[in-house]
Amino acid sequence: MKEQIGRRNFLKLVGIGAGGTAAFVHPDVFKTPMRSLADEHVMSPPVQAAEDADAMDQMHGEGVQAFLDNIGKDTTFWRPPLEYSMDGDVKVFEIKVQELQWETKPGTVYPAMAYNGMVPGPEIRVTEGDKLRFLVTNEMTQSTSIHWHGLLVPNSMDGVPFITQPPIKPGETFTYEFTARNTGSHMYHSHHNAAEQVSSGLLGAFIVEPLDKSREPQVTAEYTVILNDSTLGFTINGKEFPYTQPIAAKLGDKIRIRYMNEGFMIHPFHLHGIPQLVFAKDGYNLPVPYMADTVNVAPGERYDVLVDCTELGLWAFHCHILTHAESRHGMFGMVTVLAVQE
Ligand SMILES: [Cu+2]
C-alpha cells in the first residue's frame, strides 16, 4: 500500500475536486449565491471519494496493526544500561564509536553513526558519587569527541575539541574521567561535527541516580524517551512508528518518563487520556511541579514526568507537531502508546 494517492484524488478526498462529497459543505451554503457553485458537486454521488477514503483508512489501519504485531519484538528499544568493569573503586565503561547502517523501520535504512552499535547508544546509569572512567575508541573515518551534557565535570573532561581537548582521531582512544556529582536525567553526545554526528546517532542517555533513593519518586517503572529528528527521520529511541514500542502499564501503576531531545527541533509530547506531572527539568527538581498534557521538549532539554495510570486503554502518545507524527499514509515518526491494562 505504498502507492501515492495523487493530488487529484487527494482533492477529492477533501471534497474539492469533481466527485467531492456534501460532507464538507456547510448547509448555509445552500442559502447563498455560492449555491450554484457547490450544487453540482453536492449532487454527485460520493462513490469515488468513498473508495479513496477506504484506501487511506486501510493504510492507517495497517500501520497500527504493524505496531500491535511488533509489540515486544524490539527487546532493546528501552535501552539496557551499559555494562562496566571495576578498576579499584572506579567504574570503567568502554565506548566504541562506529559508522554503520541503521534501520529506523523495516526497509528504511540510513548511513548512521553509533555508540556500541546502537542508536541511541546504550544507557549510562550510575549513582551519585561514583568515580567513572570512559574509554572512548573512535572506529570511524572522521574525528569525534563526547560531551557529557548536563553533568558537572572538570573542564578538561567537557569534550569540546580545541576548547578542552584535541579531537579523538580515527583509531585513537581517549579517556574521560570524572565523578558523578549531580543527579538526574542527562545525556552524552558528540561535540565534533555535531550537526552531522549527533543527528546521525551519536547520542544517548546518562542517568545519575541519587545515593539516597528516598529522594526519588516511588514508581512502578520508568522509561527513557529519546527524541531525534532530521538525518534519521523523526524517531523515538532510534525507531519510527509503527516500529516504536508501547509503554505497558497496569491500572494503578505510577510510571516515570524521562524525555530527552537530541534533535534540532522542538517536540511537544502529548499523552492522551492521563495528565503528566512534570517534576524535573534538566535533572533539577522543580520547586513547584506542574500538571500538563503536553510537554514541550526543546533541543538539549530533559524533562522528568510522573504518570498516574488511572485510566484503562490504549492512549496515543505522540509529538504534537503533526508533521512529525501523521501523514495521509497513516501515523509515522514520533508516535507510540501508553497501554494501561487491568
Ligand atoms: Cu516533533
Side-chain angles (χ1 to χ4, degrees), residues 40-96:
E40 61 179 294
H41 303 304
V42 171
M43 297 310 163
S44 304
V47 174
Q48 184 61 45
E51 284 174 2
D52 290 342
D54 284 345
M56 179 189 277
D57 293 349
Q58 187 176 338
M59 285 185 274
H60 284 243
E62 284 171 356
V64 172
Q65 191 58 50
F67 176 81
L68 296 172
D69 291 344
N70 190 53
I71 291 176
K73 291 185 181 162
D74 182 351
T75 54
T76 57
F77 180 82
W78 307 111
R79 287 284 180 275
L82 180 57
E83 294 189 358
Y84 55 86
S85 59
M86 296 300 297
D87 178 12
D89 61 351
V90 179
K91 289 182 177 175
V92 181
F93 298 83
E94 289 184 35
I95 298 176
K96 295 192 186 322

Side-chain angles (χ1 to χ4, degrees), residues 216-219 253-259 269-271 273-281 284-296 302-310 317 338:
E216 292 279 62
Q218 298 304 303
V219 296
D253 279 359
K254 197 183 271 281
I255 60 170
R256 175 183 190 156
I257 299 169
R258 301 173 188 262
Y259 293 102
F269 249 73
H270 177 53
L271 174 60
I274 307 176
Q276 311 173 53
L277 177 67
V278 185
F279 71 95
K281 180 187 189 299
Y284 300 101
N285 284 341
L286 297 174
V288 182
Y290 60 92
M291 299 296 274
D293 60 42
T294 307
V295 178
N296 192 19
R302 288 89 65 215
Y303 286 93
D304 283 53
V305 306
L306 294 177
V307 177
D308 220 336
C309 299
T310 55
F317 185 30
L338 166 65

Side-chain angles (χ1 to χ4, degrees), residues 183-230:
T183 62
S185 302
H186 305 297
M187 305 190 289
Y188 67 111
H189 57 226
S190 164
H191 214 293
H192 190 63
N193 186 22
E196 180 185 358
Q197 292 193 2
V198 178
S199 70
S200 294
L202 296 186
L203 59 124
F206 195 130
I207 293 165
V208 183
E209 297 179 338
L211 202 50
D212 175 4
K213 296 283 193 268
S214 71
R215 284 162 52 202
E216 292 279 62
Q218 298 304 303
V219 296
T220 322
E222 66 162 82
Y223 298 86
T224 302
V225 169
I226 303 180
L227 309 172
N228 201 9
D229 53 57
S230 306

Side-chain angles (χ1 to χ4, degrees), residues 244-265:
T244 52
Q245 291 291 318
I247 292 176
K250 293 223 181 310
L251 194 65
D253 279 359
K254 197 183 271 281
I255 60 170
R256 175 183 190 156
I257 299 169
R258 301 173 188 262
Y259 293 102
M260 307 186 173
N261 187 349
E262 286 278 19
F264 303 160
M265 306 173 191

Side-chain angles (χ1 to χ4, degrees), residues 234 265-269 319-321 324 334:
F234 294 105
M265 306 173 191
I266 57 168
H267 299 293
F269 249 73
C319 177
H320 217 292
I321 295 179
H324 302 177
M334 294 176 159

